């Protein structure tokens, strides 16, 4: 809870990390970014993450998304997160951040689906089914319907319902 003290210790640590060790420099930058986010300094966090680009590594993706969301730039957050969850569908935290990004972009259907995918990732199929049914209801009521997203939601609801059935058979 002492962000100033933690930041001072991080600066000491960062000064000790050899410039020739790229992985250690990146790890130190990520720690600094986490501290900056905790201190309410998202631009500093983003600068640290971007100083050592590693878009294929989870910490970089999530820290980038958190900073972009804090800077009120959800489209930049969702772009990277969407790519990430495509190749890492079991990353519940990434799905949760993506849900926040899509909600901030006024894309409630996508946000509900991302919330459901986060539940699937932690194997809470009942909660996932609930989120997907809520998305279906919203799609039916909505005027500016996203037909592609509604189709994805229908497909995922069928898949999650089947997972629930399999789980019930095992018990």
């Amino acid at each position: 809870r002492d962000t100033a003290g933690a930041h001072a210790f991080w600066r000491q640590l960062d000064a000790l990390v050899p410039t020739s060790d790229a992985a250690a420099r990146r790890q130190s930058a990520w720690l600094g970014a986490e501290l900056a986010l905790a201190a309410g300094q998202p631009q500093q966090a983003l600068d640290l993450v971007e100083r050592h680009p590693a878009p294929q590594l989870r910490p970089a993706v999530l820290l980038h998304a958190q900073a972009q969301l804090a800077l009120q730039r959800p489209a930049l957050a969702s772009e990277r997160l969407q790519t990430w969850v495509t190749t890492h569908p079991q990353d519940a935290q990434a799905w949760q951040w993506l849900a926040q990004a899509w909600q901030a972009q006024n894309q409630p259907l996508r946000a509900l689906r991302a919330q459901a995918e986060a539940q699937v990732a932690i194997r809470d199929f009942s909660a996932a089914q609930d989120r997907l049914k809520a998305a279906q209801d919203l799609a039916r009521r909505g005027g500016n319907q996203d037909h592609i997203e509604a189709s994805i939601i229908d497909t995922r609801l069928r898949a999650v319902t089947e997972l629930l059935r399999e789980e019930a058979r095992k018990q």
Side-chain angles (χ1 to χ4, degrees):
R1 295 183 187 173
D2 178 13
T3 55
H7 193 74
F9 283 124
W10 169 72
R11 285 203 180 280
Q12 290 175 12
L13 170 73
D14 194 54
L16 297 173
V17 177
T19 56
S20 61
D21 190 343
R25 298 289 324 143
R26 192 170 43 246
Q27 291 282 335
S28 180
W30 291 341
L31 176 59
E34 283 189 56
L35 293 171
L37 284 169
Q41 299 170 332
Q43 186 59 56
Q44 181 183 0
L46 187 60
D47 292 344
L48 285 165
V49 171
E50 290 180 346
R51 189 176 304 155
H52 303 280
Q56 74 284 7
L57 298 177
R58 185 177 188 269
V61 172
L62 295 184
L63 287 167
H64 179 269
Q66 289 173 323
Q68 293 292 13
L69 283 169
L71 291 166
Q72 305 298 312
R73 298 189 293 219
L76 293 174
S78 64
E79 183 180 305
R80 264 192 169 167
L81 286 167
Q82 192 169 6
T83 301
W84 179 261
V85 298
T86 299
T87 57
H88 301 87
Q90 297 303 314
D91 191 338
Q93 185 66 53
W95 280 111
Q96 290 172 344
W97 284 112
L98 185 55
Q100 286 184 24
W102 278 338
Q103 190 65 43
Q105 292 175 76
N106 197 28
Q107 296 183 28
L109 281 180
R110 286 183 171 195
L112 283 167
R113 181 172 61 90
Q115 290 171 8
E117 297 293 356
Q119 296 303 316
V120 169
I122 61 171
R123 303 191 56 78
D124 186 348
F125 302 128
S126 180
Q129 185 180 49
D130 178 59
R131 297 286 75 213
L132 291 166
K133 284 181 178 181
Q136 268 188 335
D137 290 343
L138 181 62
R140 286 185 191 116
R141 288 188 318 240
N144 61 350
Q145 186 149 208
D146 182 346
H147 296 289
I148 294 171
E149 192 63 34
S151 294
I152 293 169
I153 288 165
D154 290 343
T155 301
R156 291 301 290 146
L157 179 57
R158 284 191 296 275
V160 167
T161 300
E162 184 57 33
L163 289 170
L164 274 169
R165 285 186 193 124
E166 285 178 27
E167 202 173 67
R169 281 192 290 262
K170 290 179 183 177
Q171 293 177 355

